[in-house]
Amino acid sequence: MTVNGSFESTRTRNLLYTDPQLSISTSADGSVRLIGQIDLTNGDAIAGALNKAWTKADAQAVDVAELKFIDLYGLRALAVLSDSPVGHPIRLDNVRPALRKLLLLLDWPAFTMA
């Protein structure tokens, strides 16, 4: 099934976090999906919620196909996950061209893109 232009898999997802701008869900394989917007107003809350998801040993990647907006504060909230607890770059899946360009310009070692 196609939802907002992205492929919705058959994997079961659990809601990890939601606010008026963003929802975060996780799947059994440890992947995380971000839907909406991340900015200064919700960056800290999102970092806390994602930190809980990444403490699991099976944490894999962040699907950003339905991420409509992210500012530098939001990127920082994601980047801190690469330091603790995982200790390696965060893999971003389904990166839109504008975000890909920004990440390439920043050359931030906290992220890899699939």
Side-chain angles (χ1 to χ4, degrees):
M1 168 184 359
T2 302
V3 179
N4 293 336
S6 71
F7 180 74
E8 175 68 33
S9 71
T10 57
R11 296 180 295 193
T12 304
R13 294 211 169 253
N14 298 310
L15 186 63
L16 178 66
Y17 172 88
T18 188
D19 69 26
Q21 296 185 140
L22 183 83
S23 63
I24 302 173
S25 58
T26 61
S27 68
D29 71 357
S31 64
V32 175
R33 175 178 287 158
L34 305 177
I35 302 170
Q37 302 180 50
I38 303 174
D39 60 24
L40 180 63
T41 63
N42 61 3
D44 289 335
I46 290 163
L50 288 172
N51 192 44
K52 289 178 185 175
W54 287 103
T55 57
K56 297 179 181 178
D58 58 356
Q60 297 292 317
V62 178
D63 184 338
V64 294
E66 296 180 73
L67 187 64
K68 305 297 183 207
F69 175 83
I70 187 166
D71 63 5
L72 192 54
Y73 195 83
L75 282 174
R76 185 194 120 328
L78 292 178
V80 297
L81 296 175
S82 69
D83 295 330
S84 174
V86 294
H88 58 78
I90 301 302
R91 188 181 85 219
L92 301 178
D93 291 341
N94 303 310
V95 180
R96 291 175 176 232
L99 180 55
R100 181 175 299 277
K101 183 176 180 178
L102 176 62
L103 291 170
L104 290 172
L105 286 170
L106 291 172
D107 192 26
W108 208 334
F111 301 107
T112 62
M113 293 178 276

